[in-house]
Amino acid sequence: MQLSADMLALAEEFGINPDSFPGLVVEADALPAISAYLKEKRWHKAVLIMDAQTKAAAGERLAGLLENESIQVHVIELLANHHSQVNADETSLVQVLVETPMDTDVLLAVGAGTIHDITRFCSQKLSIPFVAVPTAASVDGFTSKGAPLILRGVKQTIQTAAPVAVFADLDVLCDAPRPLTAAGFGDILGKFTSLLDWEISAMVGGEPYNTLAAKMTRRSLDSCIDHIEDIAQGDQAGIKILMQALIESGLVMQVLDFSRPASGAEHHLSHYWEMHLLEKDERQLLHGAKVGVACAIITELYKSWAEQFDALDAAGTISAALRENWEEIRLKIAALPTAEALRYYLYQVGAPTSTEEIGIDDKLVQESLNEAYHLRDRCTGLFLINQFKEEQITFPLQDRIGKP
């Protein structure tokens, strides 16, 4: 996968040497190429980090390929919790830190988002480079530095290490369970609201904004929407488009050193729900599944808000900037696809379309609509709605938001 001209221009704008980007291989039968890459780097002692599922998907085969090339392999199979899940929490982090030999040359994350988050954190702490080996096109965080971790039961995103290379084997990705691919699409779909929130935060909150980065993220989103049938079929052409979009989204975040283009109010709802599940010690849900459902809810909320809100009535420290930009914000909200259209996109790829399908009840959704904006210090549309509401936002959404 070649870096786009826009990506090179964005890197130059931020004074980043393009050579610092990870090597990107997104093609069929990419696993065998990893051995040559490691030998070129003179890395002869590799630790493969995986779980039981990703071991079967690619880890066992990769270990054999490396050993056949005289590369010493040490496998760390992460232990599942009582929900039969691996979380990016202290238990998993300590397991990797303890089981990684001191003379290790490179870590290889063989799995989806959680395994990469664990590996990137340990990579930084151990000062050992890591290579990303995705086993599903499930999230846009493979190339980013941010690691969402669960520490003392609380979700925190910590800036850690980006991979030095990504080897995305299309054969492996196409064989991934359909819900994981659908989750990757859901993570991309969330860019509809995250990009809008980024513009709102710049216009009203004076937060940093970059037109080129927004353009690139939107292009990744549009590419997936344009090829949704290919993605739904799960063939190599569609999965390659999805994986490239996820990778480029992560690279944009890596250059900017923040997640604004890819994470807005839809992610805040998702994080709020996740924290609730952690508190209740319940089974975690796929990140992208939550984001896709939340994107439709936020879109419906924003469209209702745009029809009702009168910026002339706004008061407070941000009211002047909101009044000045309200007409533009209103038009941008109107340009969003309808919530029904977003849910149909999700349905097409086999993703859940409602909170009921993912087991999140209405009470929790309502709490998140009124409280989740506290999770990030960002001037999103959700933040503004909560600043000017007259009553609690209800869910299912009513005709009048925050009105008696």
Side-chain angles (χ1 to χ4, degrees):
M1 175 179 170
Q2 297 294 318
L3 294 173
S4 67
D6 283 341
M7 182 62 72
L8 294 174
L10 186 67
E12 182 178 3
E13 181 180 341
F14 282 82
I16 295 173
N17 186 337
D19 292 339
S20 66
F21 283 119
L24 302 172
V25 179
V26 184
E27 59 189 40
D29 204 25
L31 290 185
I34 298 175
S35 300
Y37 174 81
L38 298 188
K39 293 179 81 171
E40 179 185 344
K41 295 289 186 180
R42 297 184 179 179
W43 293 335
H44 303 292
K45 296 181 179 181
V47 167
L48 275 58
I49 301 168
M50 61 187 78
D51 62 20
Q53 287 71 41
T54 63
K55 179 180 181 179
E60 197 164 25
R61 181 185 171 211
L62 178 57
L65 290 168
L66 297 181
E67 289 171 341
N68 287 341
E69 295 297 326
S70 301
I71 294 172
Q72 184 176 321
V73 172
H74 179 78
V75 172
I76 297 178
E77 185 174 335
L78 295 166
L79 302 175
N81 61 17
H82 58 288
H83 294 299
S84 299
Q85 291 181 308
V86 171
N87 287 338
D89 56 13
E90 293 96 339
T91 299
S92 297
L93 297 175
V94 169
Q95 182 184 352
V96 174
L97 292 173
V98 169
E99 295 184 15
T100 299
M102 295 294 291
D103 58 352
T104 298
D105 294 321
V106 61
L107 306 176
L108 284 84
V110 185
T114 297
I115 289 175
H116 279 73
D117 293 331
I118 294 166
T119 305
R120 77 177 75 253
F121 176 85
C122 294
S123 168
Q124 186 195 50
K125 292 300 180 184
L126 296 171
S127 298
I128 299 172
F130 92 93
V131 172
V133 187
T135 55
S138 57
V139 293
D140 67 359
F142 292 117
T143 52
S144 70
K145 294 180 181 178
L149 304 176
I150 302 167
L151 303 176
R152 295 182 179 175
V154 178
K155 190 71 171 285
Q156 302 177 47
T157 298
I158 297 175
Q159 291 301 104
T160 58
V164 294
V166 179
F167 287 85
D169 190 313
L170 293 177
D171 298 311
V172 173
L173 301 183
C174 288
D175 286 341
R178 191 181 186 196
L180 290 173
T181 302
F185 180 84
D187 209 8
I188 287 291
L189 193 75
K191 278 47 172 175
F192 274 118
T193 45
S194 66
L195 285 169
L196 172 60
D197 274 335
W198 195 19
E199 290 189 276
I200 291 173
S201 73
M203 288 187 281
V204 180
E207 296 175 25
Y209 186 79
N210 185 280
T211 302
L212 179 56
K215 170 190 168 185
M216 294 170 64
T217 304
R218 181 58 194 239
R219 184 175 62 210
S220 295
L221 167 61
D222 289 341
S223 176
C224 290
I225 297 299
D226 292 342
H227 295 89
I228 190 168
E229 292 183 1
D230 297 319
I231 295 170
Q233 289 173 2
D235 59 21
Q236 287 197 2
I239 298 303
K240 185 172 185 177
I241 288 168
L242 175 59
M243 193 67 204
Q244 288 177 331
L246 292 167
I247 285 174
E248 183 152 90
S249 175
L251 289 176
V252 168
M253 289 188 281
Q254 181 180 331
V255 171
L256 297 177
D257 204 27
F258 58 68
S259 64
R260 283 180 174 87
S263 176
E266 76 297 323
H267 271 70
H268 301 163
L269 293 193
S270 173
H271 292 327
Y272 192 95
W273 302 342
E274 182 173 357
M275 289 169 62
H276 173 83
L277 294 176
L278 286 169
E279 183 180 342
K280 299 297 183 182
D281 191 22
E282 296 181 15
R283 184 177 176 83
Q284 286 299 307
L285 305 172
L286 290 173
H287 170 75
K290 299 195 300 291
V291 168
V293 169
C295 178
I297 293 173
I298 290 297
T299 296
E300 187 175 3
L301 177 70
Y302 283 11
K303 284 184 177 291
S304 184
W305 176 50
E307 292 172 0
Q308 301 169 28
F309 184 66
D310 187 349
L312 294 177
D313 294 336
T317 57
I318 58 176
S319 57
L322 180 56
R323 285 194 298 270
E324 180 182 350
N325 293 283
W326 176 243
E327 185 59 21
E328 184 176 357
I329 292 171
R330 190 184 65 79
L331 291 173
K332 288 182 180 296
I333 292 174
L336 287 172
T338 64
E340 291 76 14
L342 294 173
R343 292 184 179 112
Y344 182 64
Y345 289 147
L346 293 170
Y347 169 78
Q348 283 182 277
V349 300
T353 63
S354 67
T355 50
E356 182 179 10
E357 287 182 63
I358 58 176
I360 300 295
D361 63 36
D362 290 354
K363 180 182 178 182
L364 179 59
V365 179
Q366 181 166 313
E367 287 177 6
S368 65
L369 290 171
N370 289 280
E371 299 294 337
Y373 72 93
H374 290 296
L375 296 179
R376 292 287 187 277
D377 186 18
R378 294 180 183 176
C379 186
T380 63
L382 185 62
F383 169 83
L384 293 174
I385 291 171
N386 275 278
Q387 299 312 297
F388 298 107
K389 68 186 180 184
E390 295 179 11
E391 286 191 344
Q392 291 282 294
I393 303 168
T394 58
F395 187 84
L397 297 172
Q398 304 298 316
D399 291 337
R400 302 293 291 172
I401 296 174
K403 297 284 185 178

